[in-house]
Amino acid sequence: VASRFSHRDRVVGRIAMVNSAEELVYDVVVDVVGDGWEVKSYMTKLTGLTEEMCAKGVPLKEAVEGLKEKLPKEAVLVGQGIHHDIEWLSLKEGVDFHTSFDLAEMFKLRIADKWTPEGVGSLRFRFFSLRHTVLALTGVDMQSDDHNPVDDAVYSVRLYEKYKDVSDEHMEAVRVSVSRAPVTPSFAQRWVVLEGV
């Protein structure tokens, strides 16, 4: 949910968690206005949230406490850019959960920036959105309409479980396959300005 007009001015509006069997374990909407935030936009296309949904939500503190009650201490948190979620929710590795795994890192493709006669001069990486990765590997467009964090969680777990134990060679072939898939327009490309933000 946008609290101001910059892409960095966001507050937590919903928390969703599934287990390794892809079963929904926790899903709660946060009452951002009740928590004292001024809302510039609910960014419904991106968040799936509306003013009415958030008005029926719970305070963020209560939502995080509920999450911690459901979150096993031995849990591996999996997601696209999961460190952002961990930070926003003030979760502590080794205290609230065991460890985390970022799918963006799992599927990033190493590419050469410059080639020299002696070899590669420098490297950079190409990162893919969760939507692009899922579409390339499963043929399913998980975000053809409004965003749904439960779908994000399900597909994140599905990809992690399928690829967590594959060999380095197999994983590199998967990354190349994802990179060769037709470009999936990002949310920002499809919606340059959304509800004024």
Side-chain angles (χ1 to χ4, degrees), residues 49-76:
L49 297 173
T50 63
E51 181 178 3
E52 296 77 23
M53 291 170 70
C54 288
K56 296 176 186 174
V58 302
L60 179 59
K61 183 177 179 183
E62 182 181 325
V64 172
E65 288 170 359
L67 173 67
K68 288 179 178 181
E69 288 174 12
K70 300 273 187 181
L71 186 60
K73 301 295 183 215
E74 69 277 3
V76 176

Side-chain angles (χ1 to χ4, degrees), residues 2-43:
S3 60
R4 292 192 183 162
F5 294 107
S6 165
H7 69 280
R8 292 189 178 122
D9 298 317
R10 304 290 184 256
V11 294
V12 176
R14 185 174 178 186
I15 302 170
M17 179 176 66
V18 300
N19 62 20
S20 60
E22 301 177 9
E23 300 163 330
L24 185 62
V25 175
Y26 192 68
D27 187 12
V28 66
V29 174
V30 175
D31 179 7
V32 292
V33 173
D35 273 347
W37 290 98
E38 180 183 348
V39 175
K40 297 295 182 191
S41 171
Y42 288 91
M43 302 176 65

Side-chain angles (χ1 to χ4, degrees), residues 120-131:
V120 176
S122 63
L123 294 175
R124 59 188 174 97
F125 295 91
R126 182 172 174 204
F127 290 87
F128 306 98
S129 69
L130 180 61
R131 178 181 180 221

